[in-house]
Amino acid sequence: MKTLRLAFSRIITYFLENKIIFVLYFIGTVASVFMMIFYYGNTLTFKTGVNNDSISFRLFQIDFTFSQNVTAEALEKLKSFEQDYDIQDIILYSVLDKNGNDTIDPEYTVEYEQGQKVYCFSGDEIPPITYLEEGTTDGNVIPVESYLYNNNDVMYNPKSNIFTDKQLKQNVTVAPKGKTENIKIQGQDFKTIRNESVSDYVIPIEKYFDSNIRTCRIEICVSERFSKDSMSLYSDFLDDWLKELYPDSAFDIKTPGTYYGSEDAANMQGFATIIAVFIVALISFMLLLKYLMDSCRRENSILMMVGAKRKRIILINLLENIILTLSSSAVAVVLHIALYDSLVTKINLYKNITYSAQDYLIIVLLAIGLSLIVQIPFIFTYWFKNIRNIKEG
């Protein structure tokens, strides 16, 4: 307790004897912490919310090794997941031969080569099919897809609600750009009503089921991104659902886990950037703090002459730093909260960034920890100086 009182007493002495230096140091550290708060909110993806609505973080993909018959009744069972969630849309994919008949039994995989979408099948009779950005194919197959909820704001191209209520009952298709001819599906004529930036022919879901064409891929888009635990539970749920419906089929489930990992890496990089910037800024102002501490070198030498150990002197200096950093951090937090609506929101790089008490606490603790690390080289010399060196330093 005496050590703490002594640290406070010395801080008051710094202010009384070196007002300008003390004020410059305090303003500098407040500004550094304020900018640290700003970068914390605008750099870390979990704060910016930049990925919250991204479909990549909400899409679960099922690839069948061999195409399967998927019915509306089977898809209804997907709604029985035990946690509260909502399916935004489900997309079904099928690959038909060039005459529109369901005769292809592919081992179906998709690869991306230099921005091109490549469908690969087993067997030499069906070479790989390349989909360019314009949606053209080599003509060996007719790729078909359909949205259970008529594209409920899942894909931007085509936009929400691909078909009107009337068209949902008709044999119509939205074709890739450059494809104007009508197609046949299982012997039925489908009229092309327009072109969109899609790779596959899109048909109404009712006609997809009526045609009895088999499905080689299912994509499930949930309305909100899952936590990592929920994502794992949902993957297990899908696995059980598929094994019950198709016990003799092989399949592959892809979750958004890869994107979660990329996001974690981006957050770590963001934290590293924040720490580096804060340390660089803090070093400049730590020189001012060293000047203030050196102004008390005579007092330090007297303390050592009357029996104070070097550890005690260093502890006092560390406590001074903690008190000053905690004070400046508190001022920075109060300023950030007070100016958030009038100033900070106008300079934020992203909209709707919110800060919780936990966020501010993390920043304050981080600032104190980094300031102590930066201070170590400045006080380390006390280990090697005798009383005379300190007094005359």
Side-chain angles (χ1 to χ4, degrees), residues 55-91:
I55 190 174
S56 300
F57 289 80
R58 298 183 287 113
L59 198 64
F60 293 79
Q61 179 179 300
I62 301 167
D63 283 321
F64 292 103
T65 301
F66 298 96
S67 300
Q68 299 293 326
N69 287 312
V70 178
T71 63
E73 292 75 16
L75 296 180
E76 278 295 316
K77 294 185 178 181
L78 285 175
K79 299 178 182 179
S80 62
F81 186 51
E82 65 267 20
Q83 300 194 16
D84 292 333
Y85 82 110
D86 186 28
I87 293 178
Q88 188 168 339
D89 212 334
I90 299 176
I91 312 167

mmCIF file of all heavy atoms in Angstrom, residues 55-91:
data_model
loop_
_atom_site.group_PDB
_atom_site.id
_atom_site.type_symbol
_atom_site.label_atom_id
_atom_site.label_comp_id
_atom_site.label_asym_id
_atom_site.label_seq_id
_atom_site.Cartn_x
_atom_site.Cartn_y
_atom_site.Cartn_z
ATOM 1 N N ILE A 55 -22.787 -15.386 -48.159
ATOM 2 C CA ILE A 55 -23.364 -16.713 -48.383
ATOM 3 C C ILE A 55 -22.339 -17.804 -48.115
ATOM 4 O O ILE A 55 -22.686 -18.926 -47.736
ATOM 5 C CB ILE A 55 -23.923 -16.821 -49.814
ATOM 6 C CG1 ILE A 55 -24.738 -18.111 -49.966
ATOM 7 C CG2 ILE A 55 -22.809 -16.753 -50.847
ATOM 8 C CD1 ILE A 55 -25.445 -18.231 -51.278
ATOM 9 N N SER A 56 -21.057 -17.488 -48.275
ATOM 10 C CA SER A 56 -20.012 -18.491 -48.057
ATOM 11 C C SER A 56 -20.030 -19.013 -46.628
ATOM 12 O O SER A 56 -19.650 -20.165 -46.376
ATOM 13 C CB SER A 56 -18.638 -17.894 -48.368
ATOM 14 O OG SER A 56 -18.570 -17.457 -49.705
ATOM 15 N N PHE A 57 -20.464 -18.186 -45.670
ATOM 16 C CA PHE A 57 -20.488 -18.569 -44.263
ATOM 17 C C PHE A 57 -21.817 -19.214 -43.874
ATOM 18 O O PHE A 57 -21.999 -19.588 -42.719
ATOM 19 C CB PHE A 57 -20.225 -17.354 -43.378
ATOM 20 C CG PHE A 57 -18.816 -16.860 -43.424
ATOM 21 C CD1 PHE A 57 -18.369 -16.076 -44.469
ATOM 22 C CD2 PHE A 57 -17.914 -17.199 -42.429
ATOM 23 C CE1 PHE A 57 -17.068 -15.614 -44.525
ATOM 24 C CE2 PHE A 57 -16.604 -16.759 -42.468
ATOM 25 C CZ PHE A 57 -16.178 -15.967 -43.528
ATOM 26 N N ARG A 58 -22.738 -19.335 -44.830
ATOM 27 C CA ARG A 58 -24.066 -19.866 -44.512
ATOM 28 C C ARG A 58 -24.462 -21.033 -45.422
ATOM 29 O O ARG A 58 -25.593 -21.482 -45.390
ATOM 30 C CB ARG A 58 -25.113 -18.749 -44.642
ATOM 31 C CG ARG A 58 -24.904 -17.600 -43.680
ATOM 32 C CD ARG A 58 -25.993 -16.547 -43.781
ATOM 33 N NE ARG A 58 -25.890 -15.753 -44.993
ATOM 34 C CZ ARG A 58 -26.751 -15.749 -45.995
ATOM 35 N NH1 ARG A 58 -27.819 -16.535 -45.930
ATOM 36 N NH2 ARG A 58 -26.573 -14.989 -47.047
ATOM 37 N N LEU A 59 -23.514 -21.511 -46.235
ATOM 38 C CA LEU A 59 -23.846 -22.502 -47.252
ATOM 39 C C LEU A 59 -23.254 -23.862 -46.897
ATOM 40 O O LEU A 59 -22.046 -23.996 -46.699
ATOM 41 C CB LEU A 59 -23.321 -22.040 -48.613
ATOM 42 C CG LEU A 59 -23.937 -22.715 -49.848
ATOM 43 C CD1 LEU A 59 -25.423 -22.382 -49.948
ATOM 44 C CD2 LEU A 59 -23.207 -22.282 -51.104
ATOM 45 N N PHE A 60 -24.132 -24.872 -46.833
ATOM 46 C CA PHE A 60 -23.721 -26.258 -46.634
ATOM 47 C C PHE A 60 -23.964 -27.005 -47.938
ATOM 48 O O PHE A 60 -25.048 -26.926 -48.517
ATOM 49 C CB PHE A 60 -24.516 -26.900 -45.500
ATOM 50 C CG PHE A 60 -24.215 -26.324 -44.150
ATOM 51 C CD1 PHE A 60 -24.771 -25.117 -43.741
ATOM 52 C CD2 PHE A 60 -23.356 -26.976 -43.285
ATOM 53 C CE1 PHE A 60 -24.489 -24.582 -42.495
ATOM 54 C CE2 PHE A 60 -23.066 -26.456 -42.035
ATOM 55 C CZ PHE A 60 -23.632 -25.248 -41.635
ATOM 56 N N GLN A 61 -22.971 -27.741 -48.387
ATOM 57 C CA GLN A 61 -23.024 -28.370 -49.709
ATOM 58 C C GLN A 61 -22.906 -29.886 -49.580
ATOM 59 O O GLN A 61 -22.033 -30.389 -48.877
ATOM 60 C CB GLN A 61 -21.891 -27.821 -50.578
ATOM 61 C CG GLN A 61 -21.813 -28.415 -51.969
ATOM 62 C CD GLN A 61 -20.677 -27.788 -52.757
ATOM 63 O OE1 GLN A 61 -20.652 -26.578 -52.974
ATOM 64 N NE2 GLN A 61 -19.732 -28.604 -53.191
ATOM 65 N N ILE A 62 -23.790 -30.578 -50.276
ATOM 66 C CA ILE A 62 -23.787 -32.043 -50.293
ATOM 67 C C ILE A 62 -23.572 -32.507 -51.726
ATOM 68 O O ILE A 62 -24.355 -32.170 -52.619
ATOM 69 C CB ILE A 62 -25.110 -32.617 -49.760
ATOM 70 C CG1 ILE A 62 -25.373 -32.140 -48.329
ATOM 71 C CG2 ILE A 62 -25.102 -34.137 -49.831
ATOM 72 C CD1 ILE A 62 -26.788 -32.407 -47.853
ATOM 73 N N ASP A 63 -22.512 -33.251 -51.969
ATOM 74 C CA ASP A 63 -22.243 -33.836 -53.282
ATOM 75 C C ASP A 63 -22.431 -35.343 -53.204
ATOM 76 O O ASP A 63 -21.804 -36.011 -52.367
ATOM 77 C CB ASP A 63 -20.815 -33.517 -53.737
ATOM 78 C CG ASP A 63 -20.654 -32.090 -54.241
ATOM 79 O OD1 ASP A 63 -21.580 -31.613 -54.913
ATOM 80 O OD2 ASP A 63 -19.627 -31.462 -53.945
ATOM 81 N N PHE A 64 -23.303 -35.871 -54.073
ATOM 82 C CA PHE A 64 -23.500 -37.316 -54.161
ATOM 83 C C PHE A 64 -22.490 -37.898 -55.148
ATOM 84 O O PHE A 64 -22.266 -37.338 -56.225
ATOM 85 C CB PHE A 64 -24.915 -37.643 -54.642
ATOM 86 C CG PHE A 64 -25.988 -37.300 -53.657
ATOM 87 C CD1 PHE A 64 -26.766 -36.166 -53.833
ATOM 88 C CD2 PHE A 64 -26.228 -38.107 -52.556
ATOM 89 C CE1 PHE A 64 -27.768 -35.834 -52.938
ATOM 90 C CE2 PHE A 64 -27.230 -37.782 -51.647
ATOM 91 C CZ PHE A 64 -28.003 -36.652 -51.834
ATOM 92 N N THR A 65 -21.898 -39.029 -54.771
ATOM 93 C CA THR A 65 -21.002 -39.696 -55.722
ATOM 94 C C THR A 65 -21.787 -40.162 -56.938
ATOM 95 O O THR A 65 -21.321 -40.057 -58.072
ATOM 96 C CB THR A 65 -20.311 -40.896 -55.047
ATOM 97 O OG1 THR A 65 -19.577 -40.427 -53.929
ATOM 98 C CG2 THR A 65 -19.377 -41.598 -56.011
ATOM 99 N N PHE A 66 -22.986 -40.672 -56.697
ATOM 100 C CA PHE A 66 -23.897 -41.023 -57.779
ATOM 101 C C PHE A 66 -25.228 -40.335 -57.518
ATOM 102 O O PHE A 66 -25.714 -40.307 -56.393
ATOM 103 C CB PHE A 66 -24.087 -42.543 -57.869
ATOM 104 C CG PHE A 66 -22.822 -43.279 -58.177
ATOM 105 C CD1 PHE A 66 -22.052 -43.828 -57.162
ATOM 106 C CD2 PHE A 66 -22.369 -43.402 -59.482
ATOM 107 C CE1 PHE A 66 -20.880 -44.495 -57.432
ATOM 108 C CE2 PHE A 66 -21.195 -44.060 -59.770
ATOM 109 C CZ PHE A 66 -20.442 -44.606 -58.740
ATOM 110 N N SER A 67 -25.805 -39.774 -58.563
ATOM 111 C CA SER A 67 -27.019 -38.968 -58.429
ATOM 112 C C SER A 67 -28.136 -39.748 -57.742
ATOM 113 O O SER A 67 -28.267 -40.966 -57.917
ATOM 114 C CB SER A 67 -27.487 -38.492 -59.806
ATOM 115 O OG SER A 67 -26.484 -37.702 -60.417
ATOM 116 N N GLN A 68 -28.966 -39.016 -56.970
ATOM 117 C CA GLN A 68 -30.038 -39.628 -56.191
ATOM 118 C C GLN A 68 -31.354 -38.896 -56.445
ATOM 119 O O GLN A 68 -31.374 -37.713 -56.807
ATOM 120 C CB GLN A 68 -29.708 -39.566 -54.697
ATOM 121 C CG GLN A 68 -28.452 -40.301 -54.307
ATOM 122 C CD GLN A 68 -28.554 -41.800 -54.470
ATOM 123 O OE1 GLN A 68 -29.630 -42.383 -54.268
ATOM 124 N NE2 GLN A 68 -27.445 -42.435 -54.839
ATOM 125 N N ASN A 69 -32.447 -39.626 -56.227
ATOM 126 C CA ASN A 69 -33.761 -39.006 -56.297
ATOM 127 C C ASN A 69 -34.040 -38.262 -54.989
ATOM 128 O O ASN A 69 -34.125 -38.882 -53.933
ATOM 129 C CB ASN A 69 -34.855 -40.066 -56.522
ATOM 130 C CG ASN A 69 -34.832 -40.622 -57.936
ATOM 131 O OD1 ASN A 69 -34.776 -39.864 -58.889
ATOM 132 N ND2 ASN A 69 -34.848 -41.943 -58.056
ATOM 133 N N VAL A 70 -34.177 -36.949 -55.073
ATOM 134 C CA VAL A 70 -34.457 -36.114 -53.907
ATOM 135 C C VAL A 70 -35.872 -35.583 -54.035
ATOM 136 O O VAL A 70 -36.213 -34.942 -55.036
ATOM 137 C CB VAL A 70 -33.460 -34.951 -53.793
ATOM 138 C CG1 VAL A 70 -33.807 -34.066 -52.598
ATOM 139 C CG2 VAL A 70 -32.034 -35.479 -53.652
ATOM 140 N N THR A 71 -36.711 -35.839 -53.046
ATOM 141 C CA THR A 71 -38.110 -35.425 -53.098
ATOM 142 C C THR A 71 -38.366 -34.252 -52.156
ATOM 143 O O THR A 71 -37.567 -33.954 -51.264
ATOM 144 C CB THR A 71 -39.025 -36.595 -52.703
ATOM 145 O OG1 THR A 71 -38.745 -36.947 -51.337
ATOM 146 C CG2 THR A 71 -38.770 -37.801 -53.598
ATOM 147 N N ALA A 72 -39.532 -33.621 -52.359
ATOM 148 C CA ALA A 72 -39.933 -32.520 -51.480
ATOM 149 C C ALA A 72 -40.120 -33.020 -50.057
ATOM 150 O O ALA A 72 -39.818 -32.318 -49.083
ATOM 151 C CB ALA A 72 -41.219 -31.878 -51.998
ATOM 152 N N GLU A 73 -40.624 -34.266 -49.916
ATOM 153 C CA GLU A 73 -40.831 -34.832 -48.585
ATOM 154 C C GLU A 73 -39.505 -35.041 -47.860
ATOM 155 O O GLU A 73 -39.402 -34.831 -46.643
ATOM 156 C CB GLU A 73 -41.577 -36.172 -48.693
ATOM 157 C CG GLU A 73 -43.017 -36.060 -49.152
ATOM 158 C CD GLU A 73 -43.151 -35.768 -50.648
ATOM 159 O OE1 GLU A 73 -42.150 -35.959 -51.369
ATOM 160 O OE2 GLU A 73 -44.236 -35.330 -51.070
ATOM 161 N N ALA A 74 -38.485 -35.439 -48.610
ATOM 162 C CA ALA A 74 -37.172 -35.640 -47.996
ATOM 163 C C ALA A 74 -36.603 -34.323 -47.490
ATOM 164 O O ALA A 74 -36.010 -34.251 -46.406
ATOM 165 C CB ALA A 74 -36.223 -36.279 -49.006
ATOM 166 N N LEU A 75 -36.809 -33.263 -48.245
ATOM 167 C CA LEU A 75 -36.294 -31.953 -47.845
ATOM 168 C C LEU A 75 -37.025 -31.401 -46.627
ATOM 169 O O LEU A 75 -36.462 -30.603 -45.873
ATOM 170 C CB LEU A 75 -36.403 -30.966 -49.011
ATOM 171 C CG LEU A 75 -35.565 -31.305 -50.254
ATOM 172 C CD1 LEU A 75 -35.774 -30.242 -51.325
ATOM 173 C CD2 LEU A 75 -34.084 -31.405 -49.902
ATOM 174 N N GLU A 76 -38.285 -31.820 -46.447
ATOM 175 C CA GLU A 76 -39.035 -31.361 -45.273
ATOM 176 C C GLU A 76 -38.365 -31.799 -43.970
ATOM 177 O O GLU A 76 -38.440 -31.102 -42.957
ATOM 178 C CB GLU A 76 -40.468 -31.904 -45.325
ATOM 179 C CG GLU A 76 -41.410 -31.096 -46.199
ATOM 180 C CD GLU A 76 -41.645 -29.697 -45.661
ATOM 181 O OE1 GLU A 76 -41.852 -29.566 -44.439
ATOM 182 O OE2 GLU A 76 -41.593 -28.746 -46.449
ATOM 183 N N LYS A 77 -37.678 -32.937 -44.007
ATOM 184 C CA LYS A 77 -37.035 -33.445 -42.798
ATOM 185 C C LYS A 77 -35.858 -32.578 -42.371
ATOM 186 O O LYS A 77 -35.388 -32.684 -41.235
ATOM 187 C CB LYS A 77 -36.581 -34.878 -43.029
ATOM 188 C CG LYS A 77 -37.731 -35.860 -43.235
ATOM 189 C CD LYS A 77 -37.228 -37.284 -43.335
ATOM 190 C CE LYS A 77 -38.391 -38.268 -43.490
ATOM 191 N NZ LYS A 77 -37.925 -39.668 -43.574
ATOM 192 N N LEU A 78 -35.368 -31.745 -43.295
ATOM 193 C CA LEU A 78 -34.262 -30.851 -42.929
ATOM 194 C C LEU A 78 -34.683 -29.807 -41.904
ATOM 195 O O LEU A 78 -33.841 -29.195 -41.253
ATOM 196 C CB LEU A 78 -33.735 -30.132 -44.180
ATOM 197 C CG LEU A 78 -32.882 -30.976 -45.138
ATOM 198 C CD1 LEU A 78 -32.548 -30.172 -46.386
ATOM 199 C CD2 LEU A 78 -31.616 -31.438 -44.451
ATOM 200 N N LYS A 79 -35.987 -29.594 -41.776
ATOM 201 C CA LYS A 79 -36.484 -28.581 -40.842
ATOM 202 C C LYS A 79 -36.550 -29.094 -39.406
ATOM 203 O O LYS A 79 -36.941 -28.353 -38.511
ATOM 204 C CB LYS A 79 -37.875 -28.101 -41.285
ATOM 205 C CG LYS A 79 -37.886 -27.462 -42.678
ATOM 206 C CD LYS A 79 -39.282 -27.056 -43.090
ATOM 207 C CE LYS A 79 -39.297 -26.460 -44.491
ATOM 208 N NZ LYS A 79 -40.657 -26.087 -44.932
ATOM 209 N N SER A 80 -36.155 -30.346 -39.188
ATOM 210 C CA SER A 80 -36.281 -30.929 -37.851
ATOM 211 C C SER A 80 -35.012 -30.782 -37.026
ATOM 212 O O SER A 80 -34.872 -31.430 -35.997
ATOM 213 C CB SER A 80 -36.629 -32.423 -37.967
ATOM 214 O OG SER A 80 -35.586 -33.128 -38.641
ATOM 215 N N PHE A 81 -34.084 -29.959 -37.483
ATOM 216 C CA PHE A 81 -32.858 -29.724 -36.702
ATOM 217 C C PHE A 81 -33.238 -29.161 -35.341
ATOM 218 O O PHE A 81 -34.069 -28.252 -35.239
ATOM 219 C CB PHE A 81 -31.940 -28.766 -37.452
ATOM 220 C CG PHE A 81 -30.594 -28.569 -36.817
ATOM 221 C CD1 PHE A 81 -29.821 -29.662 -36.463
ATOM 222 C CD2 PHE A 81 -30.100 -27.302 -36.580
ATOM 223 C CE1 PHE A 81 -28.566 -29.488 -35.891
ATOM 224 C CE2 PHE A 81 -28.855 -27.117 -36.007
ATOM 225 C CZ PHE A 81 -28.085 -28.213 -35.662
ATOM 226 N N GLU A 82 -32.618 -29.681 -34.273
ATOM 227 C CA GLU A 82 -33.093 -29.382 -32.920
ATOM 228 C C GLU A 82 -32.873 -27.943 -32.494
ATOM 229 O O GLU A 82 -33.495 -27.482 -31.540
ATOM 230 C CB GLU A 82 -32.415 -30.321 -31.907
ATOM 231 C CG GLU A 82 -30.907 -30.134 -31.767
ATOM 232 C CD GLU A 82 -30.122 -31.064 -32.682
ATOM 233 O OE1 GLU A 82 -30.700 -31.561 -33.663
ATOM 234 O OE2 GLU A 82 -28.938 -31.293 -32.407
ATOM 235 N N GLN A 83 -31.988 -27.205 -33.138
ATOM 236 C CA GLN A 83 -31.741 -25.827 -32.733
ATOM 237 C C GLN A 83 -32.605 -24.864 -33.542
ATOM 238 O O GLN A 83 -33.095 -25.190 -34.615
ATOM 239 C CB GLN A 83 -30.262 -25.488 -32.904
ATOM 240 C CG GLN A 83 -29.359 -26.387 -32.070
ATOM 241 C CD GLN A 83 -27.959 -25.830 -31.971
ATOM 242 O OE1 GLN A 83 -27.721 -24.682 -32.264
ATOM 243 N NE2 GLN A 83 -27.024 -26.661 -31.520
ATOM 244 N N ASP A 84 -32.798 -23.669 -32.982
ATOM 245 C CA ASP A 84 -33.605 -22.664 -33.665
ATOM 246 C C ASP A 84 -32.808 -22.066 -34.812
ATOM 247 O O ASP A 84 -31.756 -21.457 -34.606
ATOM 248 C CB ASP A 84 -33.995 -21.543 -32.687
ATOM 249 C CG ASP A 84 -34.957 -22.047 -31.633
ATOM 250 O OD1 ASP A 84 -35.688 -23.002 -31.933
ATOM 251 O OD2 ASP A 84 -34.949 -21.504 -30.519
ATOM 252 N N TYR A 85 -33.293 -22.246 -36.003
ATOM 253 C CA TYR A 85 -32.642 -21.685 -37.175
ATOM 254 C C TYR A 85 -33.671 -21.662 -38.301
ATOM 255 O O TYR A 85 -34.769 -22.194 -38.193
ATOM 256 C CB TYR A 85 -31.417 -22.502 -37.577
ATOM 257 C CG TYR A 85 -31.756 -23.729 -38.405
ATOM 258 C CD1 TYR A 85 -31.435 -23.796 -39.748
ATOM 259 C CD2 TYR A 85 -32.434 -24.810 -37.838
ATOM 260 C CE1 TYR A 85 -31.766 -24.904 -40.503
ATOM 261 C CE2 TYR A 85 -32.767 -25.913 -38.580
ATOM 262 C CZ TYR A 85 -32.421 -25.967 -39.913
ATOM 263 O OH TYR A 85 -32.751 -27.054 -40.658
ATOM 264 N N ASP A 86 -33.289 -21.058 -39.403
ATOM 265 C CA ASP A 86 -34.215 -20.964 -40.524
ATOM 266 C C ASP A 86 -33.449 -21.217 -41.815
ATOM 267 O O ASP A 86 -32.339 -20.710 -42.003
ATOM 268 C CB ASP A 86 -34.850 -19.567 -40.557
ATOM 269 C CG ASP A 86 -35.932 -19.459 -41.623
ATOM 270 O OD1 ASP A 86 -36.533 -20.500 -41.940
ATOM 271 O OD2 ASP A 86 -36.151 -18.352 -42.142
ATOM 272 N N ILE A 87 -34.031 -22.014 -42.689
ATOM 273 C CA ILE A 87 -33.434 -22.250 -44.003
ATOM 274 C C ILE A 87 -33.872 -21.142 -44.947
ATOM 275 O O ILE A 87 -35.069 -20.925 -45.132
ATOM 276 C CB ILE A 87 -33.851 -23.625 -44.563
ATOM 277 C CG1 ILE A 87 -33.254 -24.745 -43.707
ATOM 278 C CG2 ILE A 87 -33.397 -23.762 -46.013
ATOM 279 C CD1 ILE A 87 -33.659 -26.130 -44.163
ATOM 280 N N GLN A 88 -32.913 -20.449 -45.526
ATOM 281 C CA GLN A 88 -33.247 -19.383 -46.470
ATOM 282 C C GLN A 88 -33.656 -19.955 -47.817
ATOM 283 O O GLN A 88 -34.623 -19.525 -48.415
ATOM 284 C CB GLN A 88 -32.064 -18.432 -46.645
ATOM 285 C CG GLN A 88 -32.393 -17.186 -47.454
ATOM 286 C CD GLN A 88 -31.299 -16.139 -47.350
ATOM 287 O OE1 GLN A 88 -30.509 -16.162 -46.412
ATOM 288 N NE2 GLN A 88 -31.256 -15.234 -48.301
ATOM 289 N N ASP A 89 -32.902 -20.940 -48.296
ATOM 290 C CA ASP A 89 -33.269 -21.605 -49.549
ATOM 291 C C ASP A 89 -32.447 -22.873 -49.694
ATOM 292 O O ASP A 89 -31.392 -23.026 -49.050
ATOM 293 C CB ASP A 89 -33.043 -20.694 -50.759
ATOM 294 C CG ASP A 89 -34.060 -20.961 -51.872
ATOM 295 O OD1 ASP A 89 -34.585 -22.102 -51.934
ATOM 296 O OD2 ASP A 89 -34.342 -20.054 -52.653
ATOM 297 N N ILE A 90 -32.946 -23.782 -50.528
ATOM 298 C CA ILE A 90 -32.242 -25.014 -50.860
ATOM 299 C C ILE A 90 -32.151 -25.103 -52.381
ATOM 300 O O ILE A 90 -33.151 -24.928 -53.085
ATOM 301 C CB ILE A 90 -32.962 -26.256 -50.297
ATOM 302 C CG1 ILE A 90 -33.027 -26.173 -48.770
ATOM 303 C CG2 ILE A 90 -32.269 -27.534 -50.738
ATOM 304 C CD1 ILE A 90 -33.814 -27.302 -48.133
ATOM 305 N N ILE A 91 -30.961 -25.368 -52.871
ATOM 306 C CA ILE A 91 -30.739 -25.425 -54.321
ATOM 307 C C ILE A 91 -30.403 -26.861 -54.697
ATOM 308 O O ILE A 91 -29.547 -27.497 -54.080
ATOM 309 C CB ILE A 91 -29.581 -24.491 -54.738
ATOM 310 C CG1 ILE A 91 -29.756 -23.114 -54.118
ATOM 311 C CG2 ILE A 91 -29.504 -24.376 -56.263
ATOM 312 C CD1 ILE A 91 -28.537 -22.242 -54.201
#
